[in-house]
Amino acid sequence: MAAWLLGELSPGTDSTIEALHAVLNDPEATEALRGQVIESLGNQVCHLKGGEMYERAADALIALLDEPSVEIRYNVAFALGTLRCRRARPMLERVASEDHRLYRGLEAVSEAALFSIECIDCEPHGRKD
């Protein structure tokens, strides 16, 4: 609940974003908590549209696209769309074509990746590489 609430306090402060990064990298955090932290991190930095804090979050999220967990991959795909992270587009295309597992029985990871690609194509943010 606290991780969700932090995401709703957008735009975030340096301390809230640092708290989210700390949990994101905590090996003892549950997948459900990390999934919520991923969503909240996207909400916290999406208004930045670039800059050091934005790029740090994008780097952390892009790295998680290779996680085997449906919970993590779905939330990462969704958050990268929230960020409109242009450099994540090729990885999202891969996820969209390969990962058709259902997240909580509702929507496939591939569907979240396709939605994020649409968001990126509409209004790309961040560096291009």
Side-chain angles (χ1 to χ4, degrees):
M1 184 61 100
W4 174 82
L5 184 58
L6 285 177
E8 297 301 307
L9 297 175
S10 184
T13 64
D14 290 351
S15 60
T16 58
I17 292 170
E18 284 304 318
L20 291 170
H21 275 287
V23 175
L24 184 65
N25 297 315
D26 182 352
E28 295 184 23
T30 65
E31 285 185 359
L33 176 57
R34 289 179 70 214
Q36 186 58 62
V37 164
I38 289 164
E39 182 180 334
S40 293
L41 184 60
N43 289 340
Q44 287 279 313
V45 299
C46 68
H47 70 283
L48 298 175
K49 301 180 182 178
E52 184 179 328
M53 195 175 300
Y54 173 95
E55 296 300 340
R56 180 177 174 219
D59 288 342
L61 295 175
I62 289 170
L64 292 173
L65 274 175
D66 289 328
E67 285 277 322
S69 162
V70 171
E71 179 106 24
I72 301 301
R73 287 185 92 181
Y74 179 90
N75 282 291
V76 168
F78 187 84
L80 288 168
T82 301
L83 292 177
R84 289 164 174 70
C85 182
R86 76 175 86 211
R87 64 192 167 93
R89 194 181 191 289
M91 286 77 78
L92 288 166
E93 287 175 348
R94 177 180 51 82
V95 169
S97 69
E98 295 175 359
D99 196 342
H100 302 290
R101 296 175 295 164
L102 290 181
Y103 170 67
R104 298 189 179 179
L106 301 173
E107 184 176 43
V109 175
S110 58
E111 292 175 277
L114 288 171
F115 177 76
S116 291
I117 290 167
E118 289 177 23
C119 293
I120 292 165
D121 288 349
C122 237
E123 187 183 5
H125 297 159
R127 66 180 199 250
K128 293 180 182 180
D129 61 345

